[in-house]
Amino acid sequence: MDKKLWKIGFFTGLTSFCLLILGIRTILGTELVLKNYFTFGIFSLTVGVLAASLLFYRLKIAFRIFMAALTLGFAEFFRSFLMDTNGFGDLIGVLSLFIITTFGFGIAVIVQFIIIAIRKTKNK
């Protein structure tokens, strides 16, 4: 499993990077500058490292919850871009992606540690 960890992290980060570019440049039609690509890269790198770290520490339930939150975050990201009615869809989309992903990571870690605690008390 250790040989696949970097592949999963890289794929997760690369997919996040491509989806961010697709959403901002293609759907919104915004011209991107180098600073945008740098920011997208930092976010994607963070997401990839978090995904690989969860699997490295064998936190499979947390990984699944985190990936579900990331998917939900990108769904909300694109939904707010496409259903923009008041002109703030771009800001709301990016913020909801960041908030949902961060919240999902926090919930994932909490749920995983609750499960670990329950298993330890069962074994005693």
Side-chain angles (χ1 to χ4, degrees):
M1 183 72 177
D2 288 336
K3 292 182 180 181
K4 293 182 182 180
L5 291 179
W6 73 270
K7 291 178 186 177
I8 292 171
F10 179 75
F11 179 73
T12 303
L14 183 64
T15 303
S16 297
F17 186 74
C18 291
L19 287 174
L20 281 167
I21 291 174
L22 175 77
I24 301 291
R25 188 180 69 189
T26 306
I27 294 177
L28 285 182
T30 304
E31 188 69 31
L32 297 176
V33 295
L34 185 62
K35 205 184 300 187
N36 296 119
Y37 290 111
F38 180 71
T39 306
F40 296 164
I42 295 295
F43 176 75
S44 300
L45 181 68
T46 304
V47 167
V49 167
L50 286 175
S53 296
L54 289 173
L55 287 176
F56 177 75
Y57 290 112
R58 293 183 178 91
L59 305 174
K60 293 181 182 178
I61 295 171
F63 174 75
R64 290 184 183 128
I65 293 171
F66 176 66
M67 293 308 288
L70 186 64
T71 304
L72 182 65
F74 272 110
E76 176 61 23
F77 177 73
F78 286 115
R79 188 205 62 82
S80 62
F81 284 174
L82 295 172
M83 304 296 175
D84 181 28
T85 58
N86 59 3
F88 290 108
D90 53 348
L91 179 64
I92 293 171
V94 172
L95 283 176
S96 47
L97 171 66
F98 293 157
I99 291 170
I100 291 171
T101 304
T102 304
F103 187 71
F105 179 72
I107 293 295
V109 171
I110 290 170
V111 167
Q112 182 70 52
F113 285 131
I114 289 173
I115 291 172
I116 289 171
I118 290 172
R119 287 181 184 163
K120 283 192 178 198
T121 57
K122 260 187 184 176
N123 289 339
K124 288 186 179 185

